[in-house]
Amino acid sequence: IGYSQLQESAVFPAWSAAAASGLWLCAGAEAGVVLRQEARRARPFGPAAAVNLLGAQRSPHLKAAGDAMTAVIETWQRGLLRPGVANPRYLDWEGTPRSLAAFARVSLEVAEEGMASVVWPVLDDLITVSLSGARMLPGTADVAEALADLAPEALAAVSTGVAESNVLAVPGLRALAARGGSSRAVVAARAVVKGLATGLPGRLPG
């Protein structure tokens, strides 16, 4: 995977996820243009392309940052980025997700643009992936805390009928909350789970 593949992705935005497999490599000044062109594809993003579109927001070039976020917004507005599609197992195309703390940060930024329904399930899936290994992945606590920040919006969406109640299932977060110990990740998860059960936003200690 190289820059030539990024060029192909920009020239042929209607191509499948194969052309988008270099999305995570978007780090230069041209990244914003590439990502915005991706937002013009004909079909909705699949699990891999969707999560890497989000992942590309973690460390864009200074000159590309604005267009990179605009690409996400345009993809959402065009119905190409759909809730429940992005799969974190494809993040960076490496098998094991990395830079979880940065992903949590940009997920909150994406949520502020009206796409909380997109990042909420991805963050929970990230925790599931983290718990599947021998040790939790670095940044898992940041992911749990991002879910804590988004919990009020999730509760409001369910209570007003905007979202189905299964949005609050968050199996990854609940599995983390059920773990022993008092690590930062576990404490955050327990606070959110408690808040979801009571219908009140979970508050983190401190």
Side-chain angles (χ1 to χ4, degrees), residues 79-164:
L80 304 177
L81 184 62
R82 299 180 176 179
V85 173
N87 188 333
R89 290 172 178 79
Y90 293 108
L91 186 59
D92 302 322
W93 300 87
E94 292 184 353
T96 301
R98 59 182 175 83
S99 302
L100 269 64
F103 192 89
R105 172 180 53 79
V106 299
S107 291
L108 292 177
E109 294 173 359
V110 170
E112 289 178 358
E113 297 294 339
M115 290 169 275
S117 61
V118 171
V119 299
W120 173 266
V122 181
L123 291 170
D124 186 64
D125 287 344
L126 262 179
I127 292 180
T128 298
V129 173
S130 178
L131 296 181
S132 67
R135 300 180 61 182
M136 281 193 291
L137 298 175
T140 300
D142 298 271
V143 175
E145 290 174 355
L147 284 167
D149 288 340
L150 296 175
E153 189 167 346
L155 283 166
V158 171
S159 66
T160 57
V162 173
E164 299 292 333

Side-chain angles (χ1 to χ4, degrees), residues 27-29 31 59-68:
S59 56
H61 189 282
L62 183 61
K63 293 182 179 180
D67 278 336

Side-chain angles (χ1 to χ4, degrees), residues 33-70:
V33 175
V34 173
L35 291 171
R36 289 196 68 181
Q37 189 68 0
E38 276 291 329
R40 299 180 181 277
R41 60 166 57 200
R43 299 177 182 176
F45 277 41
V51 77
N52 282 293
L53 175 67
L54 298 172
Q57 309 301 312
R58 288 172 294 180
S59 56
H61 189 282
L62 183 61
K63 293 182 179 180
D67 278 336
M69 181 58 74
T70 298

Side-chain angles (χ1 to χ4, degrees), residues 142-206:
D142 298 271
V143 175
E145 290 174 355
L147 284 167
D149 288 340
L150 296 175
E153 189 167 346
L155 283 166
V158 171
S159 66
T160 57
V162 173
E164 299 292 333
S165 59
N166 60 7
V167 164
L168 306 181
V170 285
L173 191 70
R174 294 181 187 277
L176 177 58
R179 285 205 162 192
S182 57
S183 67
R184 183 175 142 220
V186 171
V187 169
R190 287 174 181 164
V192 182
V193 169
K194 181 179 179 180
L196 295 179
T198 60
L200 298 172
R203 295 186 178 277
L204 300 180

